[in-house]
Amino acid sequence: MRMHRILAALLGLALLGLMPTSLSTPASAAGVAPAAASAPAVARAAKLPRELHDRSARRGDRWFIKGRVTPQGGRKVVVIKRKVGPHKAWRTWKKVRADRQGRFRVEVAFPDSTRSTWFYKGGVKATAKYQAGRTDKIYTVCRRSSC
């Protein structure tokens, strides 16, 4: 009886030594190579960053948000969001399409009848190759002497 326990223990240790040290995934247990199973996860994490270089500009008595989408921002849709007041939610206000060089321009609206502060920001949606791009700035517009 004692000999059977010793043989079983030795056989178990031998089988443990033959097992791979990494944990097996369901894909590798089914016979699929682990590199092929993790390729979509690697591709999802390896998206290139997209940036929105924007600024405010004034022409006459009108204000604009203008900028450029890089890299490869030609003909991309730039979503301008606005919120009317500091405690309100961001809402899509306008969508403008950049030109072939990735440049865009949108006029900032602000009616004379309101006294609250309006906030604007821009962004570009993610694609298969690039991450979503957002502006670093939030533009503030108000009729008071200090916003």
Side-chain angles (χ1 to χ4, degrees):
M1 188 71 154
R2 191 171 192 195
M3 187 60 95
H4 291 270
R5 284 189 215 154
I6 292 173
L7 283 175
L10 287 174
L11 184 61
L13 287 173
L15 288 176
L16 268 174
L18 294 176
M19 288 182 57
T21 57
S22 65
L23 297 174
S24 65
T25 61
S28 64
V32 179
S38 64
V42 171
R44 203 175 319 124
K47 284 187 176 183
L48 299 172
R50 177 166 273 156
E51 296 178 4
L52 216 62
H53 305 283
D54 56 346
R55 61 186 176 90
S56 64
R58 182 177 181 177
R59 175 171 274 182
D61 59 346
R62 300 180 342 185
W63 283 94
F64 296 92
I65 296 175
K66 57 192 272 182
R68 188 172 186 163
V69 181
T70 59
Q72 295 181 358
R75 308 294 297 158
K76 296 296 174 204
V77 174
V78 178
V79 178
I80 306 294
K81 294 188 175 198
R82 175 178 78 179
K83 67 178 182 174
V84 185
H87 304 291
K88 302 292 183 176
W90 287 102
R91 304 209 183 253
T92 299
W93 177 59
K94 279 190 180 181
K95 293 181 180 180
V96 295
R97 188 172 295 275
D99 64 5
R100 289 185 181 170
Q101 288 80 30
R103 296 180 303 227
F104 68 93
R105 182 181 79 169
V106 62
E107 184 176 358
V108 176
F110 188 74
D112 293 331
S113 61
T114 185
R115 297 289 293 171
S116 64
T117 303
W118 290 22
F119 302 93
Y120 293 92
K121 69 178 182 177
V124 179
K125 291 187 177 181
T127 61
K129 188 176 179 181
Y130 294 101
Q131 298 173 1
R134 291 177 190 82
T135 183
D136 293 336
K137 305 173 191 93
I138 295 177
Y139 299 98
T140 307
V141 179
C142 70
R143 295 283 180 203
R144 298 183 304 274
S145 61
S146 64
C147 293

